[in-house]
Amino acid sequence: QVQLVESGGQLVPPGGSLRLSCVVSENIFRSNTMAWYRQVPGKARDAVAQITTGSITKYADVVRGRFTITRDAAKNSVFLQMNSLKFEDTGVYYCNAVPVLIDGSRPYWGQGTQVTVSS
């Protein structure tokens, strides 16, 4: 059974910090590059950070230097430390594999976690 459970999102002022967490099914976690994706209304769901099983990381230009993705094998979890948050970081954040997991013929997504950057 696939498990992707995101948490940690909340309302935060500009310049603030948040740490998102995602618990992943063990078999998925141990064999896949994992990523955090961001969904903004009216736009495609884009990956903002990814991490390989060997902990090599890659970031989208818009978050590089502010966000840090990590993974913890003991917890089968992926984390996203978000610093110096901006209004445009607002969105629903999802974790998933790279490429995204497929359930039957459709992409499988967890419920996501809402991040709102507002004063």
Side-chain angles (χ1 to χ4, degrees):
Q1 183 176 356
V2 176
Q3 180 185 38
L4 297 169
V5 181
E6 302 94 344
S7 63
Q10 61 179 298
L11 174 66
V12 61
S17 296
L18 277 179
R19 186 177 189 241
L20 306 183
S21 301
C22 178
V23 179
V24 186
S25 307
E26 180 176 359
N27 60 325
I28 299 298
F29 178 88
R30 293 189 181 281
S31 58
N32 285 277
T33 292
M34 298 300 298
W36 282 96
Y37 298 78
R38 179 166 69 195
Q39 176 82 67
V40 177
K43 295 187 177 181
R45 193 173 303 185
D46 292 328
V48 296
Q50 63 184 37
I51 185 167
T52 68
T53 55
S55 294
I56 296 172
T57 58
K58 182 179 178 180
Y59 298 94
D61 290 343
V62 293
V63 306
R64 187 175 295 112
R66 300 187 298 120
F67 291 9
T68 302
I69 187 171
T70 56
R71 61 192 296 158
D72 185 336
K75 299 179 180 179
N76 293 327
S77 294
V78 184
F79 304 96
L80 186 67
Q81 178 66 42
M82 310 165 68
N83 298 328
S84 302
L85 283 161
K86 304 177 179 182
F87 292 116
E88 53 265 40
D89 293 320
T90 295
V92 181
Y93 286 72
Y94 301 85
C95 74
N96 210 316
V98 180
V100 300
L101 302 173
I102 300 297
D103 180 15
S105 60
R106 311 176 83 173
Y108 178 90
W109 294 96
Q111 83 286 353
T113 187
Q114 174 72 48
V115 172
T116 302
V117 183
S118 176
S119 54

